[in-house]
Amino acid sequence: MSERVARPALLVALLLLATPLPAAAEPSVTLLDLPFAASALRGPGSEVAVAVATSGLLPLARPKAGASEDGAPIAVVWGEAGGAALALVDGRVTVTLLGREAVAGLAAAETPRGALAGSRRAVAGALSAHLAEPVTAGGRAGAGALVIRERKAVPMSAEPKPVPVATATVRPAPEAAFALRSPHIATFDGRPAIVAVTETGDGSSLAVAEAAEAGWSVRARGPVEAGKPLQVAGVADFSGTGRPQIAVTGPAGGATRLGLWAYEGGTLRALHAASGYDAASPGEGGPGLAALLPRDGAVDLALPVADRSALAVLSLKGAVTERARVPLPAPAAFGVVTLGTGPAARLLVGLADGRIAVVNPDP
């Protein structure tokens, strides 16, 4: 190639190298246009969302912003002055307004008869679990019992029969109580288990209850952590290995920390941890501030940073890796849920000022 031809080609190559590549889009946050201040948020699959989707309320509700009427999957939000069903349609979160009284009536089922006031039961298939029997442990209000109920199969019969329900009551250790944290239902090695938090005057511990020949009991406890009670952020296959792990936040060494635990053979084993994240809502016994975000063959975890000023999306495969951090217009306060699946999924965050933030983690 002659020098006359090579020189322009070299200049073109240098220009291409000097031209900056387009920056990757950053996660974005917008606010829903709601005519009321919200104080409660429930995600798809929750008792409230299922109840609203199957109640017949949605076709009769007044649609706003082209809300879908198919009812599922939906999230539900409400406050003193109103309620709404939220759906994901063509990448947009749409709103169908609902009467507050109707939503509040359906939400009452979250707290079954005998459960601690203001607590929520966990439900997975035929199994449910809730806290009962108010007690005090270490100067904090707690529960003296974890009540587990399982619906049994009804034999085929020409006559209608009531569904039999087996009930078991699990007690914490002596001088301990179950913390005011909603239990989580999980499956380890093909067996159902309940993940909860117990506390004493010295602090709180992660606890796993399983059924054995003698019935349900707490089979494993983690180390005691001083300070406010631990918060279970989620139970899922965070590592992509096919086995679920338990993500927990709580105080450690003067900071708020996220820890990942494996439960195997009746033993809890610490995997890895990182400081600066907190899934506990303000106040006692509030809902956890965390949501699962399946992608890349595993499950990411979305939860606030320690001061709740931003929402972080974490990968827990091998280590705690922050994929994204999105500043919020007000502190997270009463819920984080995932709406939709895959790259189109959106994260909804209940803010301290009553607004709902919509986070697009994959713009």
Side-chain angles (χ1 to χ4, degrees):
M1 179 182 295
S2 70
E3 182 179 349
R4 182 176 298 177
V5 175
R7 187 173 297 169
L10 178 60
L11 290 175
V12 171
L14 291 174
L15 286 173
L16 290 174
L17 289 173
T19 302
L21 295 174
E26 293 292 331
S28 60
V29 58
T30 58
L31 293 169
L32 284 184
D33 181 18
L34 295 175
F36 59 88
S39 58
L41 173 65
R42 302 291 186 266
S46 65
E47 284 195 272
V48 177
V50 172
V52 169
T54 58
S55 66
L57 286 174
L58 292 183
L60 300 177
R62 293 183 291 113
K64 182 174 183 176
S68 170
E69 295 184 354
D70 59 11
I74 63 169
V76 180
V77 59
W78 70 95
E80 287 296 326
L86 312 178
L88 190 61
V89 179
D90 297 329
R92 294 178 58 238
V93 176
T94 60
V95 178
T96 298
L97 298 179
L98 306 170
R100 184 213 176 262
E101 295 78 9
V103 177
L106 294 171
E110 289 184 316
T111 306
R113 181 176 300 178
L116 289 186
S119 66
R120 294 168 55 192
R121 67 177 167 186
V123 179
L127 202 64
S128 70
H130 66 268
L131 301 176
E133 301 181 15
V135 297
T136 301
R140 291 180 179 272
L146 173 66
V147 179
I148 302 169
R149 292 175 177 164
E150 184 176 8
R151 299 193 310 270
K152 299 297 183 180
V154 179
M156 294 294 294
S157 172
E159 298 295 329
K161 294 182 179 180
V163 177
V165 177
T167 301
T169 300
V170 177
R171 302 291 178 182
E175 307 301 322
F178 288 105
L180 299 182
R181 302 289 195 235
S182 296
H184 289 244
I185 299 175
T187 301
F188 298 102
D189 297 321
R191 297 189 301 272
I194 310 296
V195 180
V197 175
T198 61
E199 61 179 335
T200 64
D202 297 323
S204 62
S205 303
L206 183 64
V208 179
E210 274 191 333
E213 292 183 1
W216 283 86
S217 64
V218 174
R219 191 176 179 192
R221 289 184 179 84
V224 175
E225 301 281 358
K228 69 178 184 180
L230 300 172
Q231 174 72 56
V232 178
V235 183
D237 181 12
F238 296 109
S239 66
T241 61
R243 298 182 62 91
Q245 300 87 41
I246 306 168
V248 184
T249 65
T256 303
R257 183 182 66 177
L258 167 72
L260 193 67
W261 294 80
Y263 177 69
E264 300 168 348
T267 301
L268 283 164
R269 176 170 57 90
L271 297 177
H272 39 265
S275 297
Y277 306 102
D278 193 359
S281 61
E284 292 289 338
L289 300 179
L292 305 179
L293 191 62
R295 58 183 182 179
D296 296 343
V299 179
D300 285 355
L301 181 68
L303 78 171
V305 298
D307 64 0
R308 297 183 286 112
S309 65
L311 187 73
V313 178
L314 307 179
S315 168
L316 305 180
K317 296 177 66 173
V320 179
T321 303
E322 190 169 297
R323 288 180 178 262
R325 177 177 293 208
V326 186
L328 298 171
F334 59 86
V336 177
V337 305
T338 303
L339 191 60
T341 59
R346 299 293 184 268
L347 295 164
L348 308 179
V349 185
L351 304 177
D353 59 10
R355 295 180 294 173
I356 301 293
V358 180
V359 177
N360 180 2
D362 292 304

